[in-house]
Amino acid sequence: MLDFSRTYDVLVVGGGNAAMCAAIMARAKGASVLVLEHAGQSFRGGNSRHTRNLRVMHEEPTSQLVGSYLEEEFWEDLKRVTNGHTDEHLARVTIRGTTSAVSWMSQCGVRFQPSLTGTLSLSRTNLFFLGGGRALVNAYYATAQRMGIDILYDSEVEALEIDHDVVRSATITWRGFPATVKAKTFVAASGGFQANIDWLRQYWGDAADNFSIRGTPYAQGKILRNLLDQGVASAGDPTQCHAVAVDARAPKFDGGIVTRLDSIPFSIVVNRDAERFYDEGEDFWPRRYAIWGWLIAKQPGQIAYSIFDSKSAELFMPSVFPVIEAPTISDLAAKLGLDASRLNATIDNYNSAVQKADFNPQILDHCATQGITPPKTHWARKIDTPPYRAYPLRPGITFTYLGVKVTDRAQVLMNSGRTAKNLFASGEIMAGNILGRGYMAGFGMSIGTVFGRIAGEEAAAHALN
Amino acid sequence: MHSTDAIIEARRQAEVCNACRYCEGYCAVFPALERRRAFTNSDIAYLANLCHNCKGCYYACQYAPPHAFAVNFPKVLAEVRHETYAAYAWPRAFAGVFERNGVIVSLAAAIIVTVVLVGVGWLQDPDVIFGIHTQPGAFYAVIPWSVMGGLSAVVFLYSMLALVMGFVNFWRDTGGRASELADITPLAQTASDVLSLRHLGGGGHGCNDRDESFSTLRRWLHHATFYGFMICFASTGTAWFYDTFLNWMAPYPITSLPVVLGCVGGIGLIIGTAGLFWLKLVSDQEPTSRRLLGADVALLMLLGTISFSGFLLLGLRATPAMGTLLALHVGLVLAFFVVIPYSKFVHGVYRAAALLRNRLELRNSTAPQRVLPAKPADKGETAEIFSASAK
């Protein structure tokens, strides 16, 4: 039972990777630490529970990583994917910070494994957690408990009261009851707002109702909103979020990795009107999957259908949901609720535009269509071998970019340009400083781990001073 | 293997696993699963027996209950595994004994022990039963060698036959051929997998024996049970050898090989079975199937009791209690021989068979089973990924 009259040295808002890294670091420095996790124990860990790796800089091969991945290459990769929407200094702090993070993670009980099957391209840059993100979260919680960190589940922080650049207290709801918690310093690690449909609706209108949120339903952005409303400076584009194509049958929240679909380059994709709307074979799938969420979000009803025939059935990872199958295109259209004559026309049109060439899923094979708009520039084969198959697609939102502005010591910056005296931030709530746009596999966990550690260390130093 | 609720549920969960794959570093089950796109009943039966029930995947699972997908792979595989014991049982008529296996094994043991005790009391002169015998062949004064050895041998040979037939049933059902058994390398690898319990290591740092925390306790307790059992078996074999070829009859001196082996093995069995039983009581019940507990406990108790009665017999063999204790010990051993093919003991056969199938699959999977989505060779996922601007 928690003593609410106690003043903790460090109060950590959130219970994901960044929060636990901060909590453990602060406790290791001797601070008393309270972690307030909105979720119950079963769903603790925010979006970290759906992750599987982090991107690390390394100068030579390690037990789980091949080759080397040096700071400059890492930085160039980041610069490219963000299109310059980044902060070079903070980015380099993160990149360098990953080198020492790995052994520290091991000490915290996190285990690693070789890159997973089908992710060979990441075997040089990304270190995979054995068992995935939930196993990592478990390791951190076990370490936190061993170190004597107090953890409260089912505890939503509603507000941090800022007064003259100082956070005085936290207003929380604990198991449905209001309470106030005092601490000397605060670490905001409560994630983005991607699970807050009303907030998404501000930028996307009613389309937001048709989004599937791939991760935790607890990322409501409550503290982010609260801080921004109190004069905290923001970072990252508020209108953006990372979105991929997921199976339309995915649950509204928490579908995680298994709902994503890799069938698009080997199929044609039509909208509700049975019309194609984008080049499905534009580039290798890992280079294109992140645009398909938005492409579908812009279609009527935010729904699309990836349609292929039995030739392509085994070219991609199996989906968790059953493929929709029919002996004819008309039957398939009926099952999908599409206009049969229109779908037949679209496919006939596409088939007659397909040119003879050597299909090869491993390369940009230039099997392209001719004379249709939009074209399909690679892997275009006739859809003519029944049974015909389809997956329904919706936009799946991974994370939002808007966050609070921070210094390289994880101190939160106010609009005035001053730093909040006792407020630090780590993880998704400040990732927009560094990843202002785009996506780079495993980099969110890199930011969370590095800035989580910095925030914990700084918060403890501030509190114990 | 016919469809059952457990198989259908296991298939549903396996499809979630196959789309996720975060657990492939834990054990052989997940790579084996990933070699398939669809799962037949026999595939599920094979995966279920390949699972060592280390539970690492359950605690790592982002889809474990209360998530809507409700993936609890160790639990559903345990249920399937138990159903395979019935499905592959020989003769088929005895499949039903796996239904309430804990009760049946316990009852069978109780009845057999009672029959032996009553039989000895009835047929043997009380003066002999309660007399003190220390001469060579003392045990056979109470229960004649021909009865003890003959009965045990007949029952044991039958049970071995039933196990072999069970293996054959499993092998055929999972698409195996006899010719596959001829290759020595996979057999040797499988032996190593079995003897080391390679896959009861959670990928190297231990299993979730009790809860979220990791330990290798269950592995060591199983080793104690397994090697304890084998050493006891070696003790019996040595005694048989002495008796048959050297004409040296039991009881043997404390320092003799059969007694030393019996003591070492017996201690292993007692520690192992007691420890495994304790683990079952204190472990998190979520990833386990409560209704299968009886079968586990019955076999553990039987093995533990045999060891315990063996020590009692050894300690009191020079007293008037020897006759009764001998009857008790022989009765328990006989009961064990009877239930071998109809108890949890069969898990060893099917686990080994599944491990062998796994080794054969690994050897044969030279080419990838599926064509992976094309990857850029240079930058992987870092390359040119950007989200389209909003609106």
Side-chain angles (χ1 to χ4, degrees), chain A residues 4-218:
Chain A
F4 285 113
S5 64
R6 177 174 174 190
T7 300
Y8 282 88
D9 291 327
V10 179
L11 187 154
V12 179
V13 184
N17 169 59
M20 298 315 288
C21 287
I24 291 168
M25 278 307 271
R27 183 78 191 109
K29 295 285 169 193
S32 60
V33 181
L34 173 66
V35 172
L36 295 175
E37 163 64 317
H38 185 180
Q41 189 163 352
S42 309
F43 288 123
R44 70 188 182 190
N47 272 352
S48 306
R49 56 197 295 280
H50 291 298
T51 64
R52 55 183 184 180
N53 59 41
L54 88 165
R55 185 168 289 252
V56 291
M57 166 182 154
H58 58 108
E59 291 178 353
E60 49 195 32
T62 71
S63 59
Q64 310 288 7
L65 290 166
V66 302
S68 66
Y69 191 45
L70 302 179
E71 180 176 338
E72 282 315 306
E73 187 188 357
F74 201 147
W75 162 242
E76 289 299 326
D77 285 342
L78 179 65
K79 209 162 63 177
R80 189 174 53 251
V81 302
T82 58
N83 227 338
H85 291 263
T86 180
D87 176 315
E88 180 167 357
H89 176 61
L90 295 182
R92 286 184 185 274
V93 167
T94 306
I95 291 168
R96 287 179 206 135
T98 59
T99 53
S100 60
V102 174
S103 60
W104 180 81
M105 291 168 77
S106 296
Q107 285 164 28
C108 291
V110 178
R111 309 288 164 165
F112 302 102
Q113 65 183 338
S115 69
L116 300 177
T117 311
T119 61
L120 261 184
S121 58
L122 296 173
S123 60
R124 186 172 65 89
T125 55
N126 287 49
L127 190 52
F128 281 74
F129 317 134
L130 177 62
R134 189 171 176 199
L136 166 129
V137 166
N138 289 345
Y140 282 142
Y141 274 86
T143 301
Q145 264 149 8
R146 206 167 41 243
M147 294 170 81
I149 293 171
D150 287 341
I151 298 164
L152 277 191
Y153 297 109
D154 304 299
S155 305
E156 182 178 19
V157 181
E158 308 278 351
L160 298 175
E161 284 81 28
I162 303 180
D163 175 23
H164 291 89
D165 302 339
V166 175
V167 180
R168 303 291 175 190
S169 63
T171 305
I172 75 167
T173 303
W174 178 63
R175 292 183 182 167
F177 285 79
T180 302
V181 188
K182 288 192 163 30
K184 291 180 188 163
T185 61
F186 295 78
V187 176
S190 45
F193 67 90
Q194 67 275 7
N196 189 329
I197 305 292
D198 285 338
W199 197 339
L200 292 175
R201 203 181 275 120
Q202 284 181 25
Y203 313 113
W204 288 89
D206 292 340
D209 291 332
N210 291 323
F211 292 172
S212 172
I213 311 305
R214 301 178 70 205
T216 179
Y218 296 98

Side-chain angles (χ1 to χ4, degrees), chain B residues 2 20 102 106 180 211 224 233 242 247 249 276 332 338 369 371:
Chain B
H2 54 287
C20 169
S106 311
E180 289 177 306
D211 50 32
F233 200 73
Y242 283 0
N247 209 17
M249 286 196 289
L276 288 172
L332 285 165
V338 167
Q369 301 285 305
V371 184

